[in-house]
Amino acid sequence: MSATHTLSRHWQVFQIHVIDVVQFRLRALVWFLLGLINTGIVLLFWWATLRASGSPADAPTLPVITSYYLLMLTMASVIMCHLEEDIAYRDIQKGELYRYLLRPYPYLLKKFHEEIVWRMLSGFWATVMILVLTLVGFQYAVSSDPTTWLLTLVAASLGMLCSFFIKVSIGLASIWLTNIRGLMDIYAILEILFAGFLLPLALFPSPLKEITLLSPLAVQVYFPVQLLMGNLSSPEVLQFFALQFFWVILFFVMAKVLLHKGIRHYTGVSQ
Amino acid sequence: MNRSLRILRQLLSSYLSASLMYRFDFLQSIVSSLLWSGLSFASAILITSQTPGVPGMERSDLLLLSAAYGVIIGTHHWLCSHGFGTMSEIIHKGELEGYLLKPFDTLTLLSLRNIAWGSVFRVLGSIAFLAWLLNFYSIPVTALSVLSFVLLGSASFFLIYSLYSLCCTVLIWHPYLSNIFQLIQNSTGTARYPLDIRRYTPLILVIFYLPFLLVVNIPLRALTGRLSLLEGVYFFIFCIGAFLFSRWFWRRALWSYTGASG
């Protein structure tokens, strides 16, 4: 099969998913609003405390903290994948997985196509928010260096891959566990606490800060945001990229092994 | 009234039997429920470790709010939240007519459809933690303030019920919008932040959060003796108004229900 033919096949699959997902654009808006509501209340709390206390010297400034939370929201809407429930309930519990297995297209790649279109649509709503805020005069505290922007793009792509493989692994765990609600809840709680959505990880008390910065949660959204804001030194950037590669490879292998072993275990009997 | 109570008792015992039948699932729901409760406290500790201490927005305030949140919202999760969560599927699959034909109020039946007994442990734990916090911070509590907390907490329950109901009613027009339930669930999570935020931020930014902030803040203020009688009365009227409006909105929406399934 020629490279052109392969590319055209992938492009066709991608287009089908675009048509599918665009039908549900309001759903993507609701997903984006979920993040906005959570980020909004933390941001308002920061505003209120900083305004009431007259912004003490040791605290972050209002524009910096506002930029941080808005960038976290924007990046999260593009990077964070949410396919674990779909895999667990639709594909495994309802027995839809066999359809994918019969098709001449890799299951993980198909899922990736589906997810990337959802991320693009969420990114669209995030862009709308950025445009509106820019129009009302808000200036994001971001780096103006083009190399930093390019590196952020690479970091965001790796962050998305990391999130994708983690969520695939969680979803596939339902082949053995049947009900993964508890696992999903635990991951969601860890994500809220340690991915930087509640508080910038640099502000965490030691040694929690050092442990969290090494975790796969930190490399997904927090690292690209810190990179874009120009808060990292060159050795820190290198260290984060090395960590990202490590976690992506680890979870890629985990997802592949779980899928391989899971298919042997999978009965195809739905609930 | 007697009939409604009998039905409620029947639903409670049916779902308790169902929960005990799937023991591992029940255990998992208890753990999940306690973990989410723990998240509230961990969030309060983490965020106040870096934000400047301001009266009304200090660690003690956030911890008290988290505990009161666990009592009020936990009760809602126990009784109604899961029922609302299944509404999208019922409407999307065109199964609502089955419920409309039953000789019981449809919205009440739908909301009580999936009573989550695992959340009871969260409510009990939150009550114990709230009592401990009040003692730890030496906050005086009288019988009257406890009674006010129970009364206004019940009003809050109806307010949160109304907000869920308003949000889920939109499903009649947009049945595919199943994640709207997560939207209201997430919005309810903002109730554990202090109402004093309003004093330092523009109203336009905080207006969306206000009904949610009131849900926990007002009963807690009544418990800690920081609520005037007039504020309490206004809140009570607001809750009743929201409840009546949500009932009207639901009945109005049913006119648009087609029964076509997706």
Side-chain angles (χ1 to χ4, degrees):
Chain A
M1 202 184 289
S2 71
T4 327
H5 182 78
T6 312
L7 271 178
S8 129
R9 199 163 72 109
H10 290 317
W11 176 243
Q12 275 182 352
V13 173
F14 178 72
Q15 277 179 314
I16 291 166
H17 288 308
V18 172
I19 295 164
D20 262 359
V21 170
V22 168
Q23 281 185 75
F24 302 106
R25 53 199 175 276
L26 264 182
R27 271 179 69 88
L29 175 65
V30 172
W31 285 126
F32 176 70
L33 288 176
L34 287 178
L36 186 64
I37 288 165
N38 287 341
T39 309
I41 191 72
V42 182
L43 198 51
L44 288 178
F45 184 74
W46 268 97
W47 279 13
T49 51
L50 289 176
R51 280 188 174 183
S53 62
S55 294
D58 57 338
T61 61
L62 262 179
V64 168
I65 207 78
T66 310
S67 286
Y68 171 78
Y69 281 110
L70 291 178
L71 287 173
M72 282 295 288
L73 168 68
T74 309
M75 287 278 192
S77 64
V78 183
I79 292 172
M80 303 295 273
C81 299
H82 303 284
L83 73 163
E84 69 279 26
E85 205 164 350
D86 196 37
I87 293 178
Y89 295 108
R90 204 179 64 181
D91 295 354
I92 295 162
Q93 227 171 323
K94 300 271 178 202
E96 297 274 312
L97 183 63
Y98 78 92
R99 287 191 194 177
Y100 290 98
L101 300 177
L102 292 172
R103 286 173 189 163
Y105 203 79
Y107 175 69
L108 286 183
L109 196 58
K110 179 121 186 15
K111 285 283 152 192
F112 186 70
H113 273 303
E114 278 177 29
E115 194 55 33
I116 208 161
V117 181
W118 276 112
R119 295 303 102 229
M120 283 166 68
L121 200 56
S122 292
F124 165 77
W125 291 115
T127 313
V128 170
M129 182 198 74
I130 291 172
L131 285 176
V132 170
L133 288 175
T134 312
L135 283 174
V136 297
F138 179 74
Q139 286 189 323
Y140 285 88
V142 291
S143 165
S144 54
D145 177 24
T147 317
T148 305
W149 281 75
L150 196 68
L151 286 174
T152 306
L153 189 69
V154 177
S157 307
L158 285 169
M160 195 216 161
L161 282 175
C162 189
S163 171
F164 176 77
F165 290 125
I166 290 175
K167 294 297 177 76
V168 166
S169 304
I170 292 174
L172 287 173
S174 71
I175 293 179
W176 293 274
L177 301 175
T178 312
N179 187 348
I180 58 156
R181 176 58 54 195
L183 193 62
M184 277 163 55
D185 280 345
I186 291 169
Y187 187 78
I189 289 167
L190 290 175
E191 206 171 65
I192 293 169
L193 286 176
F194 303 121
F197 295 112
L198 193 66
L199 196 70
L201 301 182
L203 298 180
F204 271 37
S206 285
L208 192 61
K209 180 173 90 175
E210 286 75 19
I211 297 167
T212 313
L213 284 173
L214 289 174
S215 74
L217 294 166
V219 299
Q220 293 173 36
V221 185
Y222 182 74
F223 167 48
V225 167
Q226 288 297 308
L227 192 59
L228 189 61
M229 290 181 82
N231 291 342
L232 300 174
S233 63
S234 301
E236 282 175 327
V237 173
L238 280 176
Q239 188 197 330
F240 266 118
F241 269 121
L243 259 176
Q244 265 196 325
F245 274 113
F246 170 75
W247 287 121
V248 169
I249 291 166
L250 184 84
F251 286 111
F252 169 71
V253 172
M254 187 192 267
K256 289 289 271 186
V257 169
L258 284 176
L259 182 64
H260 182 72
K261 290 200 180 292
I263 290 169
R264 291 179 179 188
H265 200 79
Y266 176 66
T267 59
V269 178
S270 63
Q271 281 186 352
Chain B
M1 186 70 180
N2 271 345
R3 187 172 153 267
S4 301
L5 284 174
R6 263 205 326 272
I7 292 172
L8 179 64
R9 201 177 61 192
Q10 183 59 46
L11 284 168
L12 282 166
S13 66
S14 303
Y15 283 106
L16 180 64
S17 308
S19 298
L20 294 174
M21 204 182 291
Y22 301 100
R23 282 179 292 276
F24 188 74
D25 203 41
F26 181 54
L27 198 69
Q28 187 176 280
S29 72
I30 294 172
V31 174
S32 278
S33 171
L34 291 175
L35 280 174
W36 281 109
S37 193
L39 172 74
S40 302
F41 299 113
S43 310
I45 293 167
L46 264 178
I47 199 159
T48 49
S49 69
Q50 293 303 326
T51 50
V54 176
M57 289 183 276
E58 285 169 340
R59 179 170 292 175
S60 56
D61 300 301
L62 260 69
L63 285 175
L64 279 165
L65 278 167
S66 297
Y69 175 90
V71 179
I72 298 164
I73 305 296
T75 308
H76 187 265
H77 276 309
W78 167 39
L79 293 172
C80 310
S81 186
H82 292 253
F84 279 118
T86 54
M87 265 177 76
S88 73
E89 206 181 340
I90 290 169
I91 295 170
H92 188 54
K93 290 195 172 166
E95 291 168 359
L96 187 62
E97 50 267 45
Y99 293 91
L100 290 167
L101 290 172
K102 288 185 181 171
F104 194 67
D105 180 71
T106 312
L107 191 59
T108 312
L109 190 62
L110 283 172
S111 59
L112 292 171
R113 221 182 130 252
N114 222 329
I115 293 167
W117 276 96
S119 296
V120 171
F121 295 88
R122 178 187 182 179
V123 177
L124 295 174
S126 298
I127 291 171
F129 195 60
L130 183 61
W132 182 82
L133 282 171
L134 290 168
N135 181 48
F136 183 76
Y137 291 113
S138 310
I139 300 168
V141 174
T142 61
L144 186 67
S145 65
V146 173
L147 193 70
S148 313
F149 177 77
V150 173
L151 192 69
L152 291 173
S154 308
S156 287
F157 178 89
F158 282 101
L159 176 58
I160 210 73
Y161 182 91
S162 314
L163 294 168
Y164 265 75
S165 158
L166 285 170
C167 213
C168 291
T169 301
V170 174
L171 287 164
I172 301 266
W173 290 287
H174 299 283
Y176 58 88
L177 217 59
S178 57
N179 55 352
I180 204 160
F181 172 72
Q182 271 100 329
L183 186 76
I184 185 70
Q185 211 174 20
N186 259 34
S187 307
T188 309
T190 64
R192 52 176 182 254
Y193 284 88
L195 189 58
D196 283 335
I197 286 176
R198 162 70 197 98
R199 285 164 56 198
Y200 305 101
T201 43
L203 181 64
I204 188 135
L205 293 177
V206 85
I207 197 156
F208 168 79
Y209 296 103
L210 271 179
F212 301 100
L213 294 174
L214 292 173
V215 164
V216 178
N217 277 269
I218 296 291
L220 185 66
R221 283 185 180 189
L223 183 67
T224 53
R226 291 189 294 133
L227 189 81
S228 69
L229 181 67
L230 203 61
E231 283 174 322
V233 171
Y234 280 151
F235 177 69
F236 206 79
I237 293 169
F238 177 66
C239 293
I240 293 170
F243 183 69
L244 293 176
F245 177 71
S246 71
R247 308 294 295 183
W248 172 83
F249 190 58
W250 168 253
R251 281 197 297 273
R252 175 71 191 75
L254 283 180
W255 296 354
S256 308
Y257 178 63
T258 59
S261 61

